[in-house]
């Protein structure tokens, strides 16, 4: 499967599934949230000085190998076992900072849109970026534990 092939999980620019270079207003909000929240966190933590990056990369490596096995086995992004793996992904991301729901979705968009991030993730499986993006979207719709979004923090 080519990385440019249309995936059954995401179609680039599809407003219902996200994860494409052609965005919609929700995707644009997610991209902005990710950029703003990461910039704030980096500034407040001396560029994430507190994070054991080697451990994070080891944990993501193990996790991506597990997700790949389920992906190859025919699992779907919303399956309970996949959502548990996405919970682990979210918890690893929270070692840097706790993102809002929108910033977490923005992370999946970044994985799809940044050439180096796409290549890294798809080195595990050519469909991992799309699959993970779809699974993150499900997780973001159904789960709790996110930081409040910037919109929720704005005075009324």
């Amino acid at each position: 499967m080519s990385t440019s092939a249309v995936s059954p999980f995401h179609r680039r620019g599809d407003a219902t599934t996200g994860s494409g270079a052609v965005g919609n207003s929700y995707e644009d909000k997610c991209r902005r949230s990710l950029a703003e929240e990461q910039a704030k966190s980096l500034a407040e933590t001396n560029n994430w000085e507190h994070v054991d990056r080697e451990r994070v990369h080891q944990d993501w490596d193990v996790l991506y190998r597990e997700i790949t096995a389920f992906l190859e086995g025919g699992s779907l992004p919303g399956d309970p076992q996949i959502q548990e793996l996405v919970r682990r992904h979210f918890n690893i991301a929270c070692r840097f900072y706790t993102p809002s729901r929108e910033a977490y979705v923005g992370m999946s968009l970044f994985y799809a849109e940044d050439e180096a991030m796409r290549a890294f993730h798809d080195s595990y499986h050519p469909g991992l970026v799309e699959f993970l993006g779809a699974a993150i979207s499900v997780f973001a719709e159904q789960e709790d534990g996110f930081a409040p979004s910037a919109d929720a923090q704005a005075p009324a």
Side-chain angles (χ1 to χ4, degrees):
M1 176 177 172
S2 161
T3 57
S4 63
V6 175
S7 158
F9 310 113
H10 279 282
R11 292 183 306 270
R12 287 190 155 275
D14 184 330
T16 60
T17 60
S19 193
V22 178
N24 62 36
S25 61
Y26 179 70
E27 287 178 344
D28 291 342
K29 178 181 179 180
C30 293
R31 288 181 192 96
R32 277 191 312 274
S33 294
L34 177 66
E36 291 168 6
E37 292 175 29
Q38 283 189 347
K40 181 177 188 264
S41 176
L42 283 162
E44 292 174 349
T45 64
N46 194 25
N47 294 317
W48 294 325
E49 185 176 63
H50 65 284
V51 176
D52 180 346
R53 292 169 197 237
E54 184 177 332
R55 180 64 189 196
V56 164
H57 287 288
Q58 290 170 355
D59 291 346
W60 264 327
D61 179 63
V62 169
L63 179 64
Y64 291 153
R65 291 176 192 282
E66 289 179 52
I67 292 171
T68 295
F70 279 107
L71 172 58
E72 290 174 344
S75 292
L76 298 174
D79 289 350
Q81 68 273 21
I82 297 301
Q83 288 302 295
E84 182 54 39
L85 294 172
V86 174
R87 165 65 65 193
R88 284 177 43 205
H89 181 273
F90 177 75
N91 288 338
I92 295 168
C94 287
R95 294 179 197 172
F96 295 88
Y97 74 100
T98 302
S100 67
R101 190 176 312 273
E102 293 81 10
Y104 191 54
V105 171
M107 185 181 298
S108 73
L109 295 172
F110 177 67
Y111 290 170
E113 295 166 357
D114 181 84
E115 189 175 316
M117 291 301 286
R118 175 177 279 283
F120 168 75
H121 287 85
D122 281 349
S123 70
Y124 289 90
H125 185 281
L128 182 60
V129 166
E130 279 76 17
F131 186 82
L132 187 57
I136 286 173
S137 292
V138 170
F139 183 85
E141 290 173 11
Q142 297 178 353
E143 296 297 328
D144 296 320
F146 297 96
S149 69
D151 292 348
Q153 296 171 353

